[in-house]
Amino acid sequence: MEADVPRLSAEELRLFSEKIGQRLVERPLDLDPASHRERVAGLLRQAGEASFYQLLGIVPTAATQEVHEAYDQMARLVHPLNAERLGLVGREAVLEMLFERVTQAYLTLYQTDRRKAYDRELSPESWSAAWAPAQGRRWEEVKDVAQ
């Protein structure tokens, strides 16, 4: 399914990381470390099999502004700058992988042509999972924390 999704270049990833890192410094997450670890662990458990919709915690009908807001919140949650706070010093690669995957989800779902191509490749199981109401609740929780 994701074989057709263009990979991020190292430069693109660096630019996104710098931008989100700056936002994280300006507006730190208002989330206790234990809850933060739990959320990151949940994302890590589903990262390999989750659709991009699930990773961002949005439904397939989400508008581009919702995609952008969801990305901003999720990227701040998994940004490698959080390594010390999460007890992952020396294992930042875990956060880098999540950050890259969330950024790839954003770039795919935010751009109409890429999103249409991605949607055509989703399996029926992935479509069903993308509509799961629990995902919407998770997005609302993340949004509340970040704000």
Side-chain angles (χ1 to χ4, degrees), residues 37-55:
R37 273 190 299 278
E38 183 180 316
R39 289 180 189 211
V40 169
L43 282 170
L44 191 56
R45 281 190 297 272
Q46 73 175 24
E49 59 209 38
S51 72
F52 286 165
Y53 294 105
Q54 290 171 292
L55 280 176

Side-chain angles (χ1 to χ4, degrees), residues 15-139:
L15 292 171
F16 273 94
S17 184
E18 283 179 8
K19 182 177 180 179
I20 296 297
Q22 175 86 29
R23 292 208 10 87
L24 195 53
V25 168
E26 292 169 0
R27 287 187 36 223
L29 294 174
D30 183 21
L31 181 64
D32 68 273
S35 295
H36 192 173
R37 273 190 299 278
E38 183 180 316
R39 289 180 189 211
V40 169
L43 282 170
L44 191 56
R45 281 190 297 272
Q46 73 175 24
E49 59 209 38
S51 72
F52 286 165
Y53 294 105
Q54 290 171 292
L55 280 176
L56 295 181
I58 57 175
V59 294
T61 55
T64 54
Q65 183 61 33
E66 292 172 288
V67 172
H68 179 74
E69 291 170 2
Y71 169 72
D72 184 63
Q73 304 312 320
M74 296 307 286
R76 290 175 66 230
L77 189 72
V78 300
H79 194 280
L81 284 178
N82 293 314
E84 184 175 344
R85 182 172 205 264
L86 295 169
L88 293 173
V89 173
R91 295 182 287 172
E92 290 86 358
V94 170
L95 293 175
E96 290 168 4
M97 181 275 301
L98 283 173
F99 183 81
E100 182 175 357
R101 184 129 166 88
V102 166
T103 301
Q104 188 67 55
Y106 168 70
L107 289 175
T108 300
L109 299 180
Y110 191 77
Q111 297 175 13
T112 306
D113 291 340
R114 284 187 183 182
R115 186 175 187 168
K116 286 178 183 176
Y118 178 78
D119 288 352
R120 282 191 296 271
E121 298 297 320
L122 282 178
S123 69
E125 297 80 20
S126 295
W127 270 113
S128 295
W131 285 101
Q135 296 303 316
R137 284 196 299 274
R138 183 173 59 81
W139 159 239

